[in-house]
């Protein structure tokens, strides 16, 4: 009776997980953008459903049991069935023995192929994750070096640009793994590819890094979102692959656990820093390092962050808090700003 009730509960949990509205949950877009799988697997419905259940187990219902993804056993069994000879007439003993030998050889080759293909896929995925970890660990180290107050100015500025370039490479590599490259290098194919990746977090960070790495203005405040992103990737990789290491347990486990349990806090901090950078760029227009094009590009990027599913929840919450704090002050001390602010809002929500 207990086992039947437990199975019924799991069935109801699976039904609830399938019915959950993932598209309107900004955490799902953030979670899916950080899943590292080959592009040909990311387009499969069963793979997407599996990670949706993993997401539901992590954020909604921890008691949901998620079974591991099935391999290619069905395909290999069908291949063995199709390779099996079908005699149309009763053969003699010599022909039947040779047929059995050929059948045994073909089935052995099929079994070896079926056992080696998952291993090669796992090694490919391992290599991709290792590359991402190496780049993000390097970005985290170089970014810390850039913001340390005791670092010489020349070294700090160089580390600042190297951390932005490393994040740019990591984001573009992640986009390539998840979405591939454009089918053709013409305007129409590029437009279709950009429409498919424009709302992803990796694309947003790519434009973010390009905006600052091409500017002469060295704004160390811009490294806060970069360091938060790198810390999340590094902590996730270390927990998955080095959880049994004594070195990890002694020195890194507590920090990695804190990072993974406070991803929402880091995302809120990143959104606040990104919005604050927008106002700093406006202030920079009154300095000798002013660059009119960079604030325009960055505020267009902030508009994309406000509407993109991966970042919309955090940015909209931050803007609501800013409006709640600033609006009474404007109404009381500077009502003449209502007209320009309404013009900016019309452009923002357009």
């Amino acid at each position: 009776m207990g086992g039947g009730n437990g199975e019924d509960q799991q069935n109801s949990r699976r039904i609830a997980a399938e019915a959950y509205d993932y598209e309107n949950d900004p955490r799902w877009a953030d979670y899916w953008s950080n899943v590292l799988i080959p592009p040909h697997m990311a387009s499969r419905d069963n793979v997407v459903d599996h990670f949706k259940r993993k997401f539901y187990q992590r954020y909604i219902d921890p008691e949901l049991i998620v079974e591991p993804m099935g391999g290619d056993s069905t395909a290999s069994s069908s291949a063995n069935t199709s390779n099996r000879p079908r005699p149309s007439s009763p053969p003699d003993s010599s022909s039947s023995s040779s047929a059995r030998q050929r059948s045994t050889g073909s089935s052995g080759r099929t079994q070896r192929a079926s056992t080696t293909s998952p291993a090669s896929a796992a090694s490919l995925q391992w290599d991709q994750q290792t590359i991402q970890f190496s780049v993000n660990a390097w970005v985290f180290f170089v970014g810390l070096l850039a913001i340390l107050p005791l670092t010489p100015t020349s070294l700090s500025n160089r580390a600042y640009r190297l951390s932005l370039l490393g994040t740019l490479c990591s984001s573009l590599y992640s986009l390539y793994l998840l979405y591939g490259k454009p089918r053709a290098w013409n305007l129409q194919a590029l437009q279709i590819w950009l429409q498919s990746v424009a709302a992803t977090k990796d694309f947003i960070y790519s434009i973010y890094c390009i905006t600052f790495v091409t500017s002469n203005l060295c704004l160390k405040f811009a490294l806060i979102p970069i360091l938060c992103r790198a810390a999340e990737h590094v902590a996730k990789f270390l927990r998955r692959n080095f959880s049994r290491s004594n070195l990890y347990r002694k020195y890194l486990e507590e920090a990695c656990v804190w990072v993974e349990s406070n991803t929402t806090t880091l995302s809120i901090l990143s959104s606040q820093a990104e919005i604050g950078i927008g106002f700093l760029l406006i202030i920079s227009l009154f300095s000798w390092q002013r660059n009119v094009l960079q604030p325009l590009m960055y505020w267009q990027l902030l508009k994309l962050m406000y509407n993109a599913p991966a970042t919309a929840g955090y940015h909209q919450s931050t803007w609501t808090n800013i409006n709640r704090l600033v609006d009474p002050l404007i109404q009381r001390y500077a009502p003449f700003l209502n007209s320009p602010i309404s013009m900016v809002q019309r452009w923002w929500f357009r």
Side-chain angles (χ1 to χ4, degrees):
M1 295 295 292
N5 292 333
E7 185 65 27
D8 293 339
Q9 291 178 359
Q10 287 300 319
N11 287 333
S12 62
R13 287 191 172 95
R14 281 192 288 267
I15 293 173
E18 293 176 358
Y20 185 73
D21 189 5
Y22 296 91
E23 301 302 327
N24 291 326
D25 191 337
R27 296 174 300 178
W28 162 246
D30 188 19
Y31 178 87
W32 179 246
S33 65
N34 290 316
V35 174
L36 300 179
I37 54 176
H40 70 278
M41 294 184 64
S43 60
R44 296 181 183 177
D45 293 336
N46 61 333
V47 176
V48 177
D49 293 339
H50 172 75
F51 283 103
K52 283 184 176 180
R53 289 191 292 270
K54 296 278 288 183
F55 168 85
Y56 191 87
Q57 179 193 45
R58 177 175 180 179
Y59 292 100
I60 309 298
D61 187 1
E63 296 183 359
L64 173 66
I65 299 176
V66 180
E67 298 178 356
M69 264 193 309
D72 297 332
S73 57
T74 305
S76 62
S77 63
S78 62
N80 289 335
T81 305
S82 61
N83 289 334
R84 188 178 297 126
R86 297 181 179 179
S88 57
S89 60
D92 56 5
S93 59
S94 59
S95 61
S96 62
S97 62
S98 61
R100 282 196 300 270
Q101 291 176 358
R102 288 193 298 270
S103 176
T104 304
S106 62
S107 61
R109 287 191 297 270
T110 307
Q111 289 176 358
R112 286 192 296 271
S114 63
T115 55
T116 55
S117 57
S120 60
S123 63
L124 176 63
Q125 185 175 0
W126 171 263
D127 291 341
Q128 294 167 356
Q129 291 180 357
T130 306
I131 292 173
Q132 286 282 33
F133 165 74
S134 302
V135 174
N136 284 286
W138 178 72
V139 167
F140 187 77
F141 173 77
V142 175
L144 288 179
L145 184 64
I147 64 175
L148 288 177
L150 299 179
T151 307
T153 304
S154 59
L155 180 60
S156 176
N157 293 339
R158 186 173 298 178
Y160 166 81
R161 298 195 179 278
L162 287 176
S163 60
L164 290 171
L165 286 173
T167 306
L168 175 62
C169 294
S170 174
S171 301
L172 292 177
Y173 182 66
S174 181
L175 286 176
Y176 173 74
L177 293 179
L178 295 176
Y179 299 95
K181 60 183 181 180
R183 295 184 177 180
W185 296 104
N186 53 50
L187 183 60
Q188 183 178 3
L190 287 174
Q191 185 177 4
I192 295 174
W193 186 81
L194 287 174
Q195 288 176 353
S196 64
V197 304
T200 62
K201 199 170 183 178
D202 290 317
F203 179 79
I204 290 174
Y205 272 104
S206 301
I207 303 301
Y208 180 90
C209 294
I210 292 173
T211 303
F212 288 101
V213 80
T214 57
S215 172
N216 294 326
L217 182 63
C218 189
L219 198 60
K220 303 295 177 62
F221 197 65
L223 292 180
I224 294 178
I226 299 298
L227 291 174
C228 291
R229 177 184 182 274
E232 290 183 24
H233 281 80
V234 171
K236 185 184 298 183
F237 182 88
L238 290 176
R239 287 204 68 191
R240 287 182 178 179
N241 299 283
F242 295 95
S243 58
R244 297 181 181 180
S245 171
N246 293 329
L247 182 64
Y248 166 80
R249 291 180 179 179
K250 187 175 182 180
Y251 298 105
L252 301 173
E253 183 175 18
E254 185 175 354
C256 291
V257 170
W258 185 90
V259 169
E260 281 214 323
S261 60
N262 291 275
T263 53
T264 302
T265 303
L266 293 177
S267 298
I268 293 173
L269 175 63
S270 297
S271 64
Q272 293 173 349
E274 288 157 359
I275 293 173
I277 291 167
F279 291 104
L280 288 178
L281 289 176
I282 293 177
I283 296 174
S284 70
L285 292 176
F286 300 96
S287 68
W288 65 273
Q289 289 183 319
R290 58 180 173 270
N291 183 357
V292 179
L293 183 60
Q294 185 182 11
L296 291 176
M297 290 177 57
Y298 188 79
W299 276 93
Q300 191 67 38
L301 180 62
L302 282 180
K303 184 178 179 182
L304 176 61
M305 292 179 179
Y306 186 87
N307 295 293
T311 55
Y314 307 110
H315 274 255
Q316 291 175 7
S317 176
T318 303
W319 279 112
T320 301
N321 294 332
I322 293 174
N323 183 63
R324 189 183 299 116
L325 178 66
V326 174
D327 189 62
L329 299 176
I330 293 177
Q331 297 299 331
R332 184 175 180 179
Y333 298 106
F336 60 90
L337 293 177
N338 287 327
S339 178
I341 289 177
S342 62
M343 293 176 58
V344 173
Q345 287 179 343
R346 283 195 297 269
W347 167 80
W348 186 264
F349 295 108
R350 185 172 56 193

